[in-house]
């Protein structure tokens, strides 16, 4: 089950941004006599961590599908994810059709994950350097490299799968 039907790394980046926004009020409260910028960097650190944990936990918990169409869509997305991991399309016609339908979402996920991740993590890196939190800036840089590598890998797999389908 996937909460967001986009290719990697878009779900992680999306949840990372949402978790940062969720942690921001807590960090502002803790830093009420301190710097707002430090609170933002600390919220970003929490967002990076919870951005990984939240989708993982939610995908393991699963949810019941309300309609047959929703269950069918979730199964088709599972076929697409498996085909991306394997690097070859499914043999059945229904599986091939599901993968063909989902490839644009995979491509959008790689693109949006790379763009949003670069903008968000780049801003956090600059902010962390500005407030003197070098270790945080290095951590954000490592995560940014991982996000960009995952986007490139997803895009490569999507192209290879598209070529195998046609």
């Amino acid at each position: 089950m996937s909460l967001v039907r986009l290719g990697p790394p878009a779900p992680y980046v999306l949840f990372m941004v949402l978790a940062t926004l969720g942690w921001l009020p807590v960090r502002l409260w803790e830093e009420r006599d301190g710097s707002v910028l430090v609170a933002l960097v600390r919220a970003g650190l929490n967002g990076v961590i919870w951005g990984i944990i939240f989708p993982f936990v939610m995908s393991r918990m699963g949810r019941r599908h309300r309609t047959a169409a929703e269950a069918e869509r979730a199964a088709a997305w599972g076929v697409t994810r498996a085909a991306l991991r394997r690097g070859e399309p499914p043999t059945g016609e229904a599986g091939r059709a599901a993968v063909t339908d989902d490839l644009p979402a995979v491509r959008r996920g790689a693109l949006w994950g790379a763009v949003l991740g670069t903008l968000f993590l780049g801003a956090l890196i600059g902010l962390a350097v500005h407030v003197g939190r070098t270790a945080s800036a290095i951590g954000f840089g490592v995560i940014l490299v991982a996000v960009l590598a995952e986007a490139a890998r997803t895009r490569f797999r999507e192209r290879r799968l598209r070529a195998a389908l046609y």
Side-chain angles (χ1 to χ4, degrees):
M1 191 214 72
S2 177
L3 292 174
V4 178
R5 286 196 173 90
L6 290 171
Y12 166 67
V13 172
L14 176 66
F15 287 121
M16 177 179 57
V17 171
L18 292 175
T20 299
L21 293 174
W23 275 100
L24 186 58
V26 174
R27 294 301 175 203
L28 286 171
W29 176 257
E30 289 177 352
E31 295 280 337
R32 61 186 168 270
D33 296 330
S35 171
V36 173
L37 299 178
V38 171
L40 189 55
V41 171
R42 290 182 66 206
L45 286 171
N46 287 105
V48 165
I49 293 166
W50 283 99
I52 293 171
I53 294 171
F54 185 70
F56 179 77
V57 169
M58 293 305 291
S59 69
R60 298 303 181 257
M61 289 175 71
R63 74 180 175 120
R64 299 191 197 288
H65 303 289
R66 289 184 217 124
T67 64
E70 198 174 282
E72 183 179 315
R73 185 75 188 127
W77 184 251
V79 168
T80 301
R81 291 180 61 197
L84 276 173
R85 279 192 304 272
R86 282 192 319 267
E88 55 190 47
T91 55
E93 191 60 37
R96 292 175 74 87
V99 170
T100 302
D101 289 344
D102 289 335
L103 281 180
V106 170
R107 184 175 51 247
R108 280 191 305 272
L111 175 67
W112 282 106
V115 170
L116 185 60
T118 300
L119 292 174
F120 183 70
L121 289 167
L124 285 175
I125 289 168
L127 196 59
V129 168
H130 178 71
V131 297
R133 298 229 170 193
T134 310
S136 297
I138 291 170
F140 291 139
V142 169
I143 296 299
L144 177 59
V145 168
V147 164
L148 293 175
E150 181 63 24
R153 184 175 83 160
T154 299
R155 184 69 174 123
F156 172 76
R157 288 178 171 182
E158 182 265 337
R159 282 184 181 166
R160 185 176 59 189
L161 199 54
R162 187 176 300 279
L165 282 169
Y166 299 113

